[in-house]
Amino acid sequence: MYFFLSNLSFLEIWYTTACVPKAITIFLWKSRTIPYVGCILQMYFIFSLGCTEFFLLTAMAYDRYLAICYPLRYSTMMSSTKSAQLVLGSWVAGFVIISYPASLMIKMSFCGSNVIDHFFCSPDSVVILSCSDTSEFQLATLTLAIIVILGSFLLTMVSYICIISTIVRIPSAQGRQKAFSTCSAHLIVVIMWYGSDIFLYVRYSTENSLEINKIVNTLGIIVTPLLNPFIYTLRNKEVKKAFWKVFGGT
């Protein structure tokens, strides 16, 4: 579990770095411009890292499924080699799968306004500025959203259905609580992460209110990565003990 969490933490450092520093300069009116190449690269890295996170969360759900449903066989079924393969596959797949829509974005022509109505290079805000036919790009992004977001969400939910069905069969209340506590933090993050991204990307039209999209993007790009360390670490007894020692003076 901690191996997956360390990769998730490393990923979210770069995920927020790809967007937040530039967003801060925009909010402070220090710099409200971005080069075209910089915009494409920002979009590529944000969504590559986002896809990687979907795959990592799915791998973590599978890890929790094995730990709770097959506790005696867990160490052999989820070996260090298999964990490394799942993590490496998540990183590679996340960066490869975004290459196609990124290549379509590069081919677009922009002959009108150059003002992006967003705090980062979001596809829905950039595509409406193009004077090219964007139907192929929108179809590609919708297809990838269905495969990556809904596909990984379905696998994650299947894992949790199996987990919950196993937990409810545990005879003691203490045993059920202990089993659920090992995956509750991950489940909270899954709900927050998938909820915002399904709303934003599992649709074809780009005509939704950009103001609403900005608010939801803030939840996914800034709020969720900010809360993740607290959600995960405060479930850990050692972390809570250290927290109270520092801030409680005991």
Side-chain angles (χ1 to χ4, degrees):
M1 181 176 66
Y2 290 110
F3 175 69
F4 287 111
L5 284 176
S6 64
N7 274 272
L8 183 65
S9 300
F10 178 75
L11 181 150
E12 291 196 334
I13 290 172
W14 293 107
Y15 183 70
T16 53
T17 301
C19 174
V20 174
K22 184 61 181 177
I24 291 174
T25 62
I26 292 172
F27 293 144
L28 296 177
W29 292 81
K30 298 293 184 180
S31 174
R32 300 180 68 84
T33 62
I34 186 170
Y36 174 70
V37 174
C39 184
I40 297 297
L41 287 175
Q42 185 191 56
M43 193 182 309
Y44 175 75
F45 280 107
I46 287 175
F47 287 93
S48 294
L49 292 167
C51 286
T52 302
E53 182 154 354
F54 284 119
F55 297 139
L56 273 179
L57 289 174
T58 304
M60 291 171 71
Y62 177 64
D63 174 69
R64 293 299 83 204
Y65 160 73
L66 293 180
I68 293 175
C69 298
Y70 301 96
L72 300 180
R73 298 167 56 192
Y74 172 75
S75 59
T76 56
M77 297 177 71
M78 183 57 74
S79 62
S80 57
T81 301
K82 188 170 185 178
S83 300
Q85 290 173 342
L86 286 172
V87 168
L88 179 61
S90 298
W91 281 95
V92 172
F95 277 81
V96 169
I97 203 167
I98 294 298
S99 300
Y100 178 60
S103 66
L104 295 177
M105 179 69 76
I106 293 173
K107 297 176 184 177
M108 291 183 187
S109 300
F110 297 90
C111 49
S113 173
N114 63 349
V115 178
I116 300 174
D117 187 16
H118 216 304
F119 58 85
F120 80 104
C121 291
S122 174
D124 53 354
S125 299
V126 175
V127 165
I128 60 175
L129 304 178
S130 175
C131 51
S132 306
D133 181 11
T134 62
S135 58
E136 184 180 359
F137 175 82
Q138 294 187 58
L139 181 60
T141 54
L142 175 61
T143 303
L144 288 180
I146 292 173
I147 294 172
V148 175
I149 300 177
L150 293 185
S152 61
F153 180 72
L154 178 62
L155 292 174
T156 301
M157 288 300 100
V158 169
S159 296
Y160 271 103
I161 289 171
C162 296
I163 288 171
I164 293 172
S165 65
T166 300
I167 290 176
V168 297
R169 292 199 300 267
I170 297 176
S172 67
Q174 185 179 4
R176 290 193 296 269
Q177 183 180 2
K178 183 178 180 181
F180 185 74
S181 67
T182 64
C183 59
S184 58
H186 179 260
L187 184 59
I188 293 170
V189 173
V190 165
I191 293 171
M192 293 173 59
W193 180 252
Y194 279 95
S196 60
D197 286 315
I198 289 174
F199 172 82
L200 285 170
Y201 303 116
V202 186
R203 55 183 171 81
Y204 180 80
S205 174
T206 59
E207 297 177 357
N208 285 25
S209 172
L210 291 179
E211 294 302 319
I212 296 177
N213 289 357
K214 290 178 191 177
I215 297 172
V216 180
N217 271 132
T218 302
L219 175 65
I221 293 178
I222 300 175
V223 177
T224 300
L226 177 66
L227 294 178
N228 278 356
F230 299 98
I231 293 172
Y232 281 112
T233 58
L234 291 181
R235 302 294 304 179
N236 185 290
K237 292 182 179 179
E238 289 77 11
V239 173
K240 286 193 287 187
K241 184 178 179 181
F243 179 85
W244 288 116
K245 184 177 181 180
V246 172
F247 294 100
T250 58

